[in-house]
Amino acid sequence: MEKYVIRGGKQLHGEIEVSGAKNAAVAIIPAALMVDGVCRLENIPQISDADMLMTILEHLGAKVRAVNSNTVDIDCTNVRYTDAPYDLMRKIRASYYLIGAMLGRFGAAKTTMPGGCNLGARPIDQHIKGMNALGADVEVAGGFVYANTPDGKLHGARIYLDKVSVGATMNIILAASMARGRTVIENAAKEPHIVDLANFLNSMGADVRGAGTDSVKVNGVERLHGGSYTIIPDQIEAGTYMVACAAAGGEIRIKNVIPRHLESISAKLREMGVTIIEGEDSVVVKSSGKLHRVNVKTMPYPGFPTDMQPQVATALCLAGGTSVITEGIYDNRFKYTNELRKMGAQIQVDGRTAVIEGVDRLTGAPVAACDLRAGAAMVIAGLCAEGTTYVEDIHYIERGYENFVGKLRSLGADIALVSEPDEPGSIKSASAG
Ligand code: UD1
């Protein structure tokens, strides 16, 4: 079993570079399936979710060649329609993008129901509604999603999403980019990775307009051609280091970011008393470690991201006064607060609201990462705590943070990855994406 061992109490100083955006990469890698030719992807983060998707493409017949640690060539020219491997698919949420990509290319798809961090019910009804509107019959049975088109092609349609959904917006863009005719998605999500997917598809010959607004128009094309594309920096990875520095204190420069994508996070940290200086493609974070209380409500972009909620809640455990966090996206995203309480945090949770009474100190303890972002929050807690924190179930963290330990160590954190033999009879939980 691997775990992180963190000796808290060190301020963070220095510079780090943010990797490519996980949530863009996990859509763009499946999108490569639609491309006739070689697709060079740069700034791919070295994380297990991206690796798993590339392995799935290889199972489907793609040629995947690493050019260097963050660049791959993917050639799906000779991929034929076939089932995707169940065991890999069920581990990651983003496997749902294979539905849109396979439907777009082959007019048919069979995938598993997506896995993913357990943050409450995560239905895919809006994805299915979109595929239905494009003319696909979709059936969910026995843990699989079966999608078929009567004439082997999707047909453009007008789709009004009942809920602002990142995944449904991106999946419909994927499918529609090779449908016959024009698709309009209303009430679309506006996250930066949606714009990145559209830019990727357009650079391969698609015609997607309006991504980043709530109305996206897609004119279907016959064929996508090969090319080269660089994935945007990861907003949530950058935000995680910003909050880590805010909570632990210190001064860091985070490079390879798009400051505009970080605005809601920067604004909240400024309210907490942290200095944020934006450069062209970097941010400097300066913090004494003494934070003011604030209220936070998570919302779709450009609101405060739900994927930053556990990290900022952890910082607020050490702020002066009472903070209220309202989770606006998921039903069940406060499970990690049980772990923070083991470290001395004072948090009351009622449904989608958490009330945090700031305390003077957290104390190190053995804690578990209950999902990806909760895991990052446990690390932040450990960096600030007195004594030693042991973070278990770190496979969740490695789904989404490239070289987390190395980057934190380069900022002066006392964190190490240690491996211990599994206890006899222990069941190592499967990674969920
Ligand atoms: C994506 C991100 C995830 C982030 C989330 C919200 C990826 C791989 N994951 O997840 O990190 O937390 O956006 O920013 O990009 N919903 C439905 N029906 C649907 C789809 C969604 O009811 O068909 C609900 C969900 O349960 C959730 C809300 O809508 O309550 C938003 O979900 P969505 O934006 O779709 O999130 P994901 O794409 O799964």
Side-chain angles (χ1 to χ4, degrees):
M1 188 178 65
E2 292 189 321
K3 57 173 93 159
Y4 294 158
V5 179
I6 308 163
R7 291 185 183 79
K10 291 209 162 176
Q11 293 208 333
L12 302 182
H13 289 276
E15 286 190 349
I16 43 157
E17 200 153 307
V18 160
S19 301
K22 163 186 170 281
N23 287 347
V26 297
I28 289 173
I29 296 167
L33 193 58
M34 303 169 78
V35 173
D36 189 5
V38 179
C39 202
R40 173 161 292 188
L41 298 179
E42 293 171 348
N43 210 24
I44 292 261
Q46 280 193 321
I47 54 174
S48 57
D49 269 17
D51 291 346
M52 223 166 328
L53 280 162
M54 289 188 279
T55 308
I56 291 173
L57 289 191
E58 281 180 315
H59 276 263
L60 293 172
K63 290 194 189 108
V64 179
R65 188 178 72 89
V67 178
N68 60 46
S69 54
N70 295 102
T71 303
V72 287
D73 282 346
I74 302 179
D75 185 355
C76 294
T77 312
N78 294 320
V79 171
R80 297 283 168 263
Y81 177 64
T82 174
D83 291 357
Y86 173 82
D87 277 348
L88 293 175
M89 299 266 295
R90 70 186 174 80
K91 290 181 181 166
I92 44 174
R93 176 131 191 103
S95 61
Y96 53 40
Y97 292 127
L98 287 161
I99 304 173
M102 291 176 96
L103 264 179
R105 170 135 184 209
F106 304 115
K110 179 185 169 193
T111 67
T112 56
M113 274 297 278
C117 287
N118 182 5
L119 311 173
R122 295 179 78 179
I124 59 163
D125 56 302
Q126 297 305 304
H127 301 239
I128 294 174
K129 172 179 162 161
M131 301 307 157
N132 286 155
L134 296 174
D137 299 319
V138 183
E139 195 193 342
V140 179
F144 287 91
V145 182
Y146 302 86
N148 274 296
T149 47
D151 61 354
K153 262 299 190 189
L154 297 169
H155 297 270
R158 192 175 189 87
I159 299 156
Y160 198 104
L161 294 177
D162 300 321
K163 203 159 198 178
V164 177
S165 160
V166 172
T169 303
M170 291 168 84
N171 222 346
I172 298 168
I173 291 175
L174 279 171
S177 61
M178 288 188 77
R180 289 203 175 114
R182 181 179 171 85
T183 297
V184 181
I185 310 165
E186 300 286 8
N187 199 27
K190 297 181 278 201
E191 269 67 2
H193 30 290
I194 294 170
V195 180
D196 208 38
L197 174 66
N199 287 342
F200 164 78
L201 289 168
N202 288 344
S203 71
M204 306 287 146
D207 184 358
V208 182
R209 299 170 191 207
T213 74
D214 53 18
S215 178
V216 180
K217 286 131 195 126
V218 186
N219 295 309
V221 296
E222 281 282 321
R223 173 178 175 267
L224 298 180
H225 54 72
S228 179
Y229 190 77
T230 304
I231 290 173
I232 52 165
D234 197 303
Q235 172 205 25
I236 304 300
E237 188 197 5
T240 300
Y241 290 111
M242 290 168 80
V243 172
C245 179
E251 177 172 341
I252 64 172
R253 177 185 295 275
I254 306 174
K255 299 191 297 186
N256 186 33
V257 300
I258 299 176
R260 191 167 33 87
H261 294 167
L262 303 172
E263 274 170 2
S264 63
I265 302 163
S266 299
K268 197 48 73 181
L269 288 175
R270 286 188 180 116
E271 243 181 279
M272 290 163 68
V274 179
T275 302
I276 309 283
I277 303 163
E278 289 167 6
E280 209 163 284
D281 60 358
S282 65
V283 285
V284 172
V285 182
K286 290 186 205 180
S287 170
S288 63
K290 299 206 181 324
L291 303 174
H292 309 313
R293 53 129 338 255
V294 293
N295 295 336
V296 179
K297 176 159 188 193
T298 66
M299 282 188 276
Y301 189 81
F304 190 89
T306 177
D307 287 354
M308 284 300 303
Q309 183 257 94
Q311 302 90 314
V312 84
T314 301
L316 290 171
C317 289
L318 289 160
T322 306
S323 302
V324 179
I325 305 221
T326 310
E327 171 54 46
I329 308 291
Y330 294 113
D331 293 333
N332 192 5
R333 199 166 202 171
F334 286 121
K335 273 181 295 178
Y336 67 89
T337 57
N338 289 330
E339 303 300 299
L340 287 178
R341 280 190 207 99
K342 292 181 191 165
M343 301 177 72
Q346 299 247 341
I347 311 178
Q348 301 295 327
V349 175
D350 184 7
R352 284 179 167 217
T353 305
V355 178
I356 303 173
E357 295 289 342
V359 293
D360 289 339
R361 73 181 70 83
L362 295 175
T363 44
V367 290
C370 39
D371 61 61
L372 165 60
R373 306 304 171 185
M378 291 309 120
V379 171
I380 293 174
L383 295 175
C384 303
E386 283 180 7
T388 306
T389 297
Y390 303 87
V391 182
E392 295 184 353
D393 289 337
I394 57 167
H395 57 94
Y396 285 117
I397 302 175
E398 293 177 352
R399 282 189 37 227
Y401 290 91
E402 176 175 327
N403 189 19
F404 201 30
V405 167
K407 289 186 188 184
L408 285 168
R409 285 173 72 90
S410 75
L411 296 174
D414 187 343
I415 176 170
L417 170 70
V418 297
S419 296
E420 286 172 4
D422 283 343
E423 281 172 33
S426 76
I427 300 165
K428 212 172 169 190
S429 50
S431 164

